[in-house]
Amino acid sequence: MVRASVSPDEVRYIQRRAAGHDGRVVTIGQLFLFSTETGDAWLLDPADQLAAQLAHDGDPVQIHIEENDTTFAIGWKGGYRIEGPAFIYVDHDTGQLSTILGYPTHQLK
C-alpha cells in the first residue's frame, strides 16, 4: 500500500461520474482520477505507475482503502503505462496485460 492524498469522497465522485458515463479527469496532488464515457474509472499514481480500477462499465469496483486521521493508504491492484493512444494495464496478482483504447491518454501523460 502507498500513502496518497485522495479522499474516499473523491473516489466516490469519480465512480459516480463513471456510472453516468461522464468522462472526467481530476488531478489531486500527484494522483489522477479519471472516468470515461464507457463507464470505467481509474486511480493512477504516475510517479510509480500504479493503477487501481474504480469502476467498470458503470459499476463501482471494490478497492481497499485505509484511512485514519493522518494517512490514507490505497491497495494498488496493478501497474500501467501509456503508449500513444493505448492505456496498458498489468494486474499484479494475475500478470494479465490489458490494452485499452479510447481513454484520455493525452491528458494523462
Side-chain angles (χ1 to χ4, degrees), residues 41-96:
W42 292 82
L43 172 61
L44 306 178
D45 181 345
D48 295 320
Q49 292 189 300
L50 297 171
Q53 190 168 27
L54 303 175
H56 180 70
D57 290 332
D59 295 323
V61 172
Q62 293 295 324
I63 179 173
H64 180 78
I65 298 174
E66 286 184 26
E67 179 181 28
N68 64 37
D69 292 340
T70 58
T71 62
F72 182 82
I74 300 165
W76 297 102
K77 299 282 186 173
Y80 80 98
R81 68 182 186 274
I82 295 172
E83 293 183 9
F87 178 88
I88 301 166
Y89 174 73
V90 178
D91 185 284
H92 286 169
D93 291 335
T94 66
Q96 182 178 348

Side-chain angles (χ1 to χ4, degrees), residues 5-15 26 28 33 54:
S5 58
V6 64
S7 75
D9 288 340
E10 291 157 334
V11 169
R12 285 188 291 274
Y13 168 80
I14 209 70
Q15 287 174 321
V26 178
I28 301 170
L33 292 96
L54 303 175

